[in-house]
């Protein structure tokens, strides 16, 4: 499903949520065991996948209704901000039912930057 330049797919059988831009992914990084972040050739975030989405989103958002509301997902998007060697991914999920929207952040190291500590080694 496409909305606001972003696509998303939710597979209720496997409880997988994938939010992505219409851009080709060049590579992926696992963030913990249950989140995969896709990058393009310029290392921009182009996709965000939640494995076991119901449980993960319930924990991250502290919204227990998220688990049962994922089949009613109406729109999903994310934005990224680079801050001093970190990439902050801000994602928003909106539902067609009465479940409140979820907005949350993931912060990961910017894999394109070399650590100043390692640079001196």
């Amino acid at each position: 499903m496409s909305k606001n330049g972003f696509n998303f797919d939710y597979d209720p059988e496997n409880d997988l949520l994938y939010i992505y831009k219409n851009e080709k992914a060049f590579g992926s990084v696992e963030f913990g065991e249950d989140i995969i972040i896709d990058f393009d050739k310029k290392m921009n975030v182009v996709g965000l996948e939640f494995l076991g989405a119901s449980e993960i989103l319930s924990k991250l958002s502290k919204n227990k209704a998220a688990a049962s509301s994922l089949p009613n997902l109406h729109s999903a998007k994310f934005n990224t901000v680079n801050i001093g060697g970190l990439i902050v991914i801000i994602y928003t999920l909106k539902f067609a039912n009465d479940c409140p929207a979820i907005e949350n952040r993931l912060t990961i190291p910017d894999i394109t930057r070399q650590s100043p500590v390692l640079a001196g080694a």
Side-chain angles (χ1 to χ4, degrees):
M1 189 173 291
S2 180
K3 199 85 166 174
N4 299 329
F6 287 86
N7 295 300
F8 67 90
D9 293 311
Y10 176 64
D11 174 0
E13 185 176 324
N14 296 302
D15 196 26
L16 301 173
L17 174 62
Y18 186 46
I19 307 166
Y20 57 100
K21 297 179 179 181
N22 282 331
E23 298 176 28
K24 185 173 175 99
F26 178 71
S28 301
V29 173
E30 291 181 19
F31 186 67
E33 295 178 357
D34 301 318
I35 299 173
I36 299 170
I37 301 168
D38 293 337
F39 295 89
D40 65 10
K41 283 188 176 184
K42 294 181 181 179
M43 301 311 288
N44 298 309
V45 177
V46 296
L48 185 59
E49 185 172 9
F50 295 94
L51 312 174
S54 300
E55 182 178 346
I56 299 254
L57 293 171
S58 293
K59 286 179 180 177
L60 290 175
S61 68
K62 298 181 183 172
N63 180 351
K64 300 301 178 198
S68 60
S69 294
L70 279 172
N72 297 311
L73 190 59
H74 179 262
S75 68
K77 65 180 182 175
F78 62 84
N79 186 31
T80 58
V81 179
N82 292 16
I83 302 172
L86 298 173
I87 299 173
V88 180
I89 304 167
I90 305 159
Y91 62 90
T92 305
L93 308 176
K94 294 185 180 178
F95 301 92
N97 60 7
D98 291 334
C99 182
I102 294 173
E103 181 174 290
N104 210 341
R105 300 164 196 258
L106 296 172
T107 304
I108 62 170
D110 183 347
I111 60 176
T112 65
R113 290 190 53 173
Q114 184 175 11
S115 166
V117 175
L118 295 176

